[in-house]
Amino acid sequence: VVGEVRPDGSIFGKRAGFSTLKVSAAGSMWTGTVTVVRVDTAEIGRETVSPAGVVQDLAQQVYLTSLADHTILFASKPLQNPARYAGIEHSPGLRDDSREQSQFRNPAFLAFNQSNGSLYVTDSANHVIRRVRPGISGKVETVAGTGAPGNVDGSIDQGSFNTPQGIPIDSRGNL
């Protein structure tokens, strides 16, 4: 067993590895793969950050969210202390810009597009989905949601979310 589901619904990693997770609710069943990379907490300066979202790319690099300082973190190896990848530390906001000048407000969950290197983020307190483009000059852009809380189906610029959480991406790169 690589992890367990706690009573609050969170998944707790016990050891590195892969496992299949089956979720049943309201008569429907979903199956997904859980990847545990042994990232439970990370020391950043004098603070301890508990990530909400963690993803790993094919090169074993790890990306994780930091709710406490409103940033996305990066570690080139699973057991390495992460460094800031996107966002401005302790500066919540909603700004699309270069990775280092962008702002998030409680980034929660992540999905990584292995084919093009884009990282997708549920920017929960901003009520939007964001994309972080790869590379040194990578940009952060809002791809869905208006920034106002809501529950409206619609086009990318008119649909709305209320504190978006989990975000899956399939093997074809569909979000």
Side-chain angles (χ1 to χ4, degrees):
V1 175
V2 300
E4 66 183 30
V5 179
R6 292 185 168 166
D8 67 358
S10 64
I11 299 172
F12 175 75
K14 290 184 168 185
R15 64 180 177 86
F18 301 93
S19 184
T20 300
L21 175 68
K22 292 184 179 182
V23 178
S24 177
S28 296
M29 173 141 354
W30 297 276
T31 303
T33 301
V34 174
T35 305
V36 177
V37 293
R38 284 190 56 197
V39 178
D40 291 322
T41 61
E43 294 292 329
I44 301 176
R46 292 178 292 173
E47 298 179 42
T48 299
V49 176
S50 296
V54 179
V55 293
Q56 190 173 31
D57 65 18
L58 294 175
Q60 305 292 310
Q61 299 176 118
V62 178
Y63 302 82
L64 43 107
T65 59
S66 176
L67 295 168
D69 66 1
H70 307 285
T71 59
I72 310 300
L73 306 175
F74 170 80
S76 60
K77 298 176 185 172
L79 299 178
Q80 179 184 53
N81 275 344
R84 182 174 59 101
Y85 180 72
I88 300 171
E89 293 175 345
H90 306 293
S91 183
L94 176 58
R95 181 179 354 161
D96 290 342
D97 205 329
S98 67
R99 282 193 342 230
E100 295 181 345
Q101 295 302 312
S102 62
Q103 289 178 294
F104 298 88
R105 186 179 308 273
N106 296 97
F109 291 89
L110 302 171
F112 192 82
N113 187 326
Q114 300 289 354
S115 65
N116 69 17
S118 291
L119 181 68
Y120 291 91
V121 182
T122 59
D123 196 353
S124 64
N126 281 324
H127 311 287
V128 296
I129 307 296
R130 317 275 296 279
R131 175 176 36 215
V132 182
R133 300 260 188 193
I136 292 173
S137 61
K139 302 277 185 195
V140 173
E141 57 193 339
T142 301
V143 296
T146 63
N151 184 15
V152 177
D153 292 337
S155 63
I156 287 175
D157 60 343
Q158 293 178 352
S160 62
F161 304 98
N162 191 358
T163 316
Q165 295 297 305
I167 182 169
I169 191 164
D170 68 17
S171 60
R172 295 183 190 149
N174 296 310
L175 192 60

